[in-house]
Structure formats: C-alpha cells, structure tokens
C-alpha cells in the first residue's frame, strides 16, 4: 500500500450551495488525512463567490455553458441538457490536461451523484468513480427502488394499501404524501426527477458509494444498503470545530454563494437570553408564496420567542409592509438576507429551528442539538420531515390548511410547544442525544471517521 500522502483525488461538485457545502467539507476531511484534493466546480458558482478558505485543497472552475448568452432563453429542461454537454466537454479537457501534466495523476473521481454521467468520463480515462450522494440514505433508497421498478409511479397506484413501501421496515413510516415531492407530483419538475432517478442508472459501475449521513442515524437503511452495495457513510460533513474539535478547522464551509450578515447576526444573538430565539430559514432554493410569507410573518409576531429569519434577497419583496418596523420596535426579531447557519445554530441563544428540512439543514440541526419545526417545501424535504418527527423524534411538523398554506397561529403554537411545552421537553432531550451521537460518529474511530479511513485505504491500495 502506498501512503495517503502520495494520493491525489479529484472531487466534482454541482454548483448549488447544498451540494458544495458537504462535498467541500468532505474534501477537507480527505486533505486532513494526507490526501491531495482538487475540488472542481462549474464556473457559474464563481459569479457570486465568497471563498473563505481553501488552503488545504485546490479549487478549479470549469466552463459549464453559463457564459453562453443563449442559455437565458432556454427552458429549464433544455438548460439542464446544455449544462451537461458543456461540462462533459470541460471535465474531459480538464482530466486530459491533468493526466498529461501530473507525474502521479488522480486515479479516483468523486462526483456529485446528480452529475451521474461523470462516471463515464472517469472510466474512459482509466479512473474509478465514486458518486457522492447529497441526500439521506432513505431518500437515495426510495429513488433506487423507483428506478429499478420495485415502487411504481404514479404512487396513487399504491393508495389503498397500508403503506407504499415496507422494506426496509422503517420505510413504513412514510405515507404516500411523505415521499419526495418529485415522485408525488410527477408534473412539477420532470427534469429534476429524471436526474434524481438517474443517480441509480449506472451506480453499479462505480467503485464506492459515498453517503452524507451517519450509520447510527439511518441504521436500518444503512444495513440494507450494505448488504448489497459497497457504501461508505461519511457524515455529517460539518466543519469539525462544531463537532469533535479535533481538527483546526474554519467556522465556515468555505465557499458561500451568498454574502452572510454574520456579524450582525452574532451581535443580535449575543443580546438575547439562552434558548430564547427561533431561527427560521428555508435554505438556498425554496421560495414561499406571498400568502405563506404573510402567515409566517404573522405567526412570528404572535409567538412568545424572539426570532432570526433569513429572507433571501429574491424573497424580500413578499414580506408584508410594516413587518420589519413592527418587529424592530421591541427588537423581537431580526431579518437578514443570509447568515452563517452553523454559527447561528450553535449559538447558545437559539432554542429551535424552523426549517424546510433540506438535508444539510436537517443534519446540521441534528448534529448541533437544535430541535426543529418542520415545514417542508419540495423534493426530499417531506421525507426528511417525516423522519425528523416520527423516527428521530427531534421536532414537530406544521401542516398546510385547505388553502395549501400553513396558518400563522399553528406556527406560533408549534414553536411555543417546542420552546417550553411538555412535548418539547422530550424533543429537546432527543436532540441532545443525537448531537452526542453525531459527534461520536465523526470523532476518531467513530463510524463515519472509519468510513473516511476505509475510503482512504482503498484509494491507497489502488497505487500498488
Ligand atoms: C436543497 C435541499 O438539500 C434538498 O431538499 C434538495 O435536494 C435540493 O437542495 P437547500 O434548499 O439549499 O438545498 O437546503 P439545505 O440542504 O438545507 O442546504 C442549505 C445550506 O445552506 C446549508 O448547509 C446551510 O447551512 C446553508 N445556509 C442556509 C447558510 O449558510 N445560511 C443561510 O442563511 C441559509
């Protein structure tokens, strides 16, 4: 076996925040084990780039067709195809140059499972491929079962049965509406559904499958997957300074597509009593309707707690007029365009997280011991929400009324329940338990640390 220090690995991420964060952090973990890592990212991520620190790895941008003036005019489906053609070409060019330039070129390409076609490029160049799944194991498993035809679409065909799916058994917590929205509402985002299912079109030709989760969290599913595939569970991919404190690490993922108002958030949070603040965020992509924004604003005004609400610039115009003034008077709330979510979630004054249940947000809250109010919007979020409430028991879920809007009074009462109610007590205890388990998983010798170690050893063995 050659030593990890001689090994170079390429990591290709999709250009969205929720894929960059875990893949960049995973790259840093590999670098901390002595590997040389080149992080490749489509250039469209560069336009609003705020690169905090990448000292331990090289970051390379490759063309993705976003400079093409015609791309603006394309439909969503066509722009996905255009992206693929552009990146196939630029990734091929990059790997060819890399192989001719480097004395010991990389033998492994870790690629975002959403760019599943990158595996062909790796194999054509004599490399091994390892898809990195940015969703939970449960969600990966659902897409796999649909892709191979065990679960048939449309899901309505399964209505009337008790459960759409009961193998592995934990799946039976999912009612038909708790499946990822892409497979519940087939007309909503067909191109994204195609990508989600295609993650499993060629994965058997990949050498290893990497999942951002930890074995204790998804025990049953992980066992089920391990029985048939070579998987490595390597999460939660959160800067270690928040978890095991073993590594000198940054307080940030390192590459933000939005400008965080970090100082303002910290100053405001510092001024609030312990566990008195509700943190509200719907991630980097979800967009709420104007009615929903109004109800949410109303709920936040009604509830007892203080709140810090991230409203992205593109969403700001939906805020009810006078809202900012009203909540500013007694300093009950702070609205920012973006924050450093890890810093906020780990701040002592934050007692609850109202979340859309994106997979990163879910893992971050679990790992930092913050109870959740689940308000899922789309894709894998309804499934994550069900696990948050029914399996991990670290939150409560608010449901939409007949107008497909979650009422402000329901939001307020749910938050009050978690922050100080009886039901909240159990949830708060469970959250601390999961925090400890996440820390143990990434700590030296923990399940995820061993997963990364195994991956490194496997790569080292390729050099012999
Ligand atoms: C989504 C979801 O992961 C998933 O449901 C779906 O597959 C498509 O992508 P996103 O909606 O952005 O991504 O949510 P999430 O996965 O939670 O990722 C958001 C990331 O941005 C998190 O790592 C979070 O820490 C970070 N963030 C969010 C900030 O740093 N600051 C903010 O103000 C908000």
């Amino acid at each position: 076996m050659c030593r990890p220090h001689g090994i170079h690995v390429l990591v290709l991420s999709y250009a969205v925040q929720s894929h960059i964060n875990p893949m960049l952090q995973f790259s840093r973990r590999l670098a901390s084990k002595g590997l040389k890592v080149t992080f490749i990212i489509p250039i469209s991520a560069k336009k609003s780039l705020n690169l905090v620190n990448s000292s331990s790895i090289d970051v390379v941008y490759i063309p993705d067709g976003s400079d093409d003036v015609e791309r603006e005019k394309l439909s969503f489906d066509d722009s996905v195809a255009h992206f693929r053609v552009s990146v196939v070409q630029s990734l091929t060019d990059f790997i060819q140059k890399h192989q001719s330039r480097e004395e010991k070129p990389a033998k492994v390409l870790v690629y975002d499972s959403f760019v599943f076609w990158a595996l062909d490029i790796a194999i054509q160049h004599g490399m091994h491929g390892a898809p990195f799944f940015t969703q939970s194991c449960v969600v990966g498993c659902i897409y796999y079962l649909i892709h191979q035809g065990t679960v048939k679409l449309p899901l309505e065909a399964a209505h009337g049965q008790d459960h759409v799916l009961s193998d592995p058994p934990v799946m039976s917590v999912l009612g038909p509406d708790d499946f990822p929205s892409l497979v519940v509402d087939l007309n909503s985002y067909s191109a994204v559904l195609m990508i989600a299912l295609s993650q499993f079109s060629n994965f058997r030709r990949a050498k290893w499958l990497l999942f951002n989760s930890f074995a204790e969290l998804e025990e049953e599913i992980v066992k089920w997957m391990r029985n048939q595939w070579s998987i490595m569970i390597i999460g939660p991919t959160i800067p270690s300074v928040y978890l095991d404190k073993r590594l000198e690490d940054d307080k940030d993922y390192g590459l933000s597509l939005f400008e965080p108002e970090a100082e303002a958030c910290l100053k405001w949070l510092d001024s609030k009593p312990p566990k008195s603040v509700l943190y509200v965020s719907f991630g980097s992509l979800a967009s709420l309707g104007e009615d929903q924004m109004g109800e949410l604003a109303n709920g936040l005004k009604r509830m007892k707690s203080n709140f810090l609400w991230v409203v992205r610039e593109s969403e700001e115009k939906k805020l009810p007029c006078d809202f900012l003034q009203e909540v500013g008077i007694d300093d009950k709330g702070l609205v920012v365009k973006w924050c450093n979510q890890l810093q906020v979630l780990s701040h002592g004054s934050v007692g609850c997280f109202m979340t859309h249940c994106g997979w990163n947000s879910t893992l971050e809250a679990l790992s930092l011991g913050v109870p959740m109010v689940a308000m899922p919007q789309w894709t894998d979020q309804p499934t994550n929400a069900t696990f948050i409430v029914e399996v991990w028991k670290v939150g409560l879920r608010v449901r939409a009324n007949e107008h497909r809007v979650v009422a402000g009074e329901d939001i307020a009462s749910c938050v009050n329940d978690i922050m100080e109610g009886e039901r909240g007590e159990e949830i708060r205890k469970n959250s601390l338990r999961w925090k400890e388990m996440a820390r143990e998983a990434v700590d030296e010798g923990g399940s995820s640390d061993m997963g990364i170690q195994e991956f490194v050893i496997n790569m080292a063995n390729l050099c012999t």
Side-chain angles (χ1 to χ4, degrees):
M1 185 180 95
C2 62
R3 295 188 51 73
H5 290 276
I7 302 173
H8 192 156
V9 58
L10 306 182
V11 179
L12 170 69
S13 170
Y14 206 58
V16 290
Q17 195 69 64
S18 51
H19 293 221
I20 292 170
N21 286 357
M23 295 195 75
L24 190 56
Q25 188 57 31
F26 176 61
S27 301
R28 282 174 162 180
R29 291 232 160 198
L30 292 179
S32 77
K33 302 238 180 238
L35 268 68
K36 181 168 162 40
V37 183
T38 301
F39 192 76
I40 308 168
I41 185 159
I43 198 145
S44 53
K46 201 173 182 178
K47 61 181 182 323
S48 47
L49 198 72
N50 176 21
L51 185 58
V52 180
N53 183 351
S54 67
S55 53
S56 61
I57 58 175
D58 292 333
V59 178
V60 169
Y61 305 96
I62 56 171
D64 59 4
S66 54
D67 293 343
D68 186 340
V69 279
E70 294 299 306
R71 186 155 131 177
E72 299 264 295
K73 298 183 194 145
L74 297 177
S75 67
F76 181 69
D77 286 16
D78 287 344
S79 76
V80 169
H82 183 69
F83 171 86
R84 177 171 170 171
V85 170
S86 310
V87 177
V88 164
Q89 188 57 54
S90 56
L91 181 64
T92 303
D93 292 346
F94 176 81
I95 291 179
Q96 284 173 355
K97 268 194 209 132
H98 168 81
Q99 291 184 330
S100 62
R101 196 179 46 214
E102 298 281 328
E103 199 185 317
K104 279 191 192 164
K107 291 191 173 171
V108 175
L109 174 70
V110 173
Y111 60 93
D112 190 321
S113 60
F114 270 36
V115 292
F116 55 94
W117 33 263
L119 178 61
D120 291 327
I121 302 172
I123 291 173
Q124 279 157 20
H125 291 86
M127 300 171 74
H128 294 288
F132 183 105
F133 291 81
T134 55
Q135 317 110 66
S136 70
C137 296
V138 173
V139 168
C141 186
I142 292 171
Y143 289 140
Y144 164 73
L145 291 169
I146 293 173
H147 183 266
Q148 67 148 16
T150 308
V151 173
K152 303 246 182 301
L153 296 181
L155 287 175
E156 288 86 57
H159 276 214
Q161 298 169 19
D162 275 356
H163 302 296
V164 174
L165 189 58
S166 55
D167 182 32
V170 70
M171 290 290 200
S172 58
V173 297
L174 298 170
D177 291 339
D178 301 327
F179 279 68
S181 67
L182 303 172
V183 304
V184 174
D185 179 4
L186 293 177
N187 300 320
S188 57
Y189 290 94
S190 53
V192 187
L193 174 61
M194 195 283 290
I195 293 171
L197 299 183
S198 299
Q199 297 174 97
F200 292 93
S201 60
N202 60 358
F203 77 113
R204 288 184 199 284
R205 288 193 288 130
K207 187 91 174 156
W208 311 280
L209 314 183
L210 300 161
F211 277 88
N212 180 22
S213 186
F214 55 105
E216 294 76 8
L217 186 67
E218 301 194 85
E219 206 176 0
E220 229 182 83
I221 309 279
V222 167
K223 238 184 238 165
W224 185 89
M225 286 179 153
R226 278 203 171 122
N227 278 340
Q228 40 199 335
W229 310 323
S230 181
I231 60 167
M232 279 155 199
I233 313 288
I234 49 77
T237 52
I238 291 172
S240 51
V241 71
Y242 293 99
L243 294 168
D244 58 358
K245 301 191 167 47
R246 188 161 41 97
L247 303 171
E248 281 295 307
D249 213 339
D250 294 296
K251 292 210 151 103
D252 211 303
Y253 281 110
L255 202 155
S256 180
L257 304 183
F258 303 83
E259 193 69 56
E261 298 179 46
E263 245 173 71
C265 290
L266 283 185
K267 198 167 156 220
W268 187 83
L269 289 171
D270 284 346
S271 74
K272 300 295 173 205
K275 306 284 176 222
S276 70
V277 174
L278 170 75
Y279 168 57
V280 187
S281 168
F282 294 86
S284 65
L285 299 168
S287 164
L288 302 186
E290 208 163 323
D291 288 357
Q292 186 60 82
M293 286 287 271
E295 283 297 325
L296 178 52
N298 190 23
L300 297 180
K301 271 192 304 191
R302 272 166 176 253
M303 63 172 197
K304 294 187 200 145
S305 319
N306 302 307
F307 66 88
L308 168 57
W309 184 7
V310 174
V311 179
R312 297 191 317 272
E313 203 161 358
S314 55
E315 297 286 286
E316 269 177 334
K317 55 186 179 302
K318 299 180 202 163
L319 279 172
C321 37
D322 298 339
F323 175 74
L324 293 178
Q325 235 177 337
E326 283 167 27
V327 298
I329 291 172
D330 54 1
D331 209 25
K332 179 181 172 61
L334 177 70
V335 176
V336 295
K337 294 183 177 60
W338 193 254
C339 69
N340 176 341
Q341 183 160 298
L342 292 166
Q343 251 174 21
V344 169
L345 285 174
S346 60
H347 195 283
S349 69
V350 172
C352 181
F353 179 17
M354 172 145 208
T355 172
H356 68 315
C357 311
W359 184 234
N360 295 288
S361 294
T362 302
L363 272 182
E364 290 162 9
L366 274 160
S367 308
L368 297 169
V370 183
M372 288 173 260
V373 170
M375 189 166 147
Q377 300 298 305
W378 72 309
T379 64
D380 53 348
Q381 298 153 17
T383 313
N384 298 339
T386 307
F387 272 70
I388 287 168
V389 177
E390 307 291 338
V391 180
W392 305 316
K393 301 186 192 303
V394 289
L396 297 174
R397 180 169 178 174
V398 284
R399 297 266 178 189
N401 59 23
E402 67 278 17
H403 308 297
R404 308 188 74 160
V405 168
V406 179
E409 58 193 295
D410 293 346
I411 292 173
S413 108
C414 205
V415 175
N416 291 343
D417 266 3
I418 291 203
M419 296 288 258
E420 45 195 53
E422 236 174 76
R423 283 202 290 176
E425 205 175 309
E426 198 54 40
I427 288 174
R428 290 193 297 272
K429 263 195 219 149
N430 291 337
S431 301
L432 293 178
R433 200 166 52 84
W434 282 115
K435 175 183 177 175
E436 186 55 22
M437 297 229 262
R439 194 190 59 75
E440 282 171 11
V442 297
D443 211 348
E444 202 163 357
S447 59
S448 292
D449 184 58
M450 296 300 277
I452 296 181
Q453 195 61 33
E454 192 188 342
F455 184 58
V456 171
I457 291 171
N458 272 287
M459 284 197 290
N461 285 339
L462 292 177
C463 303
T464 54

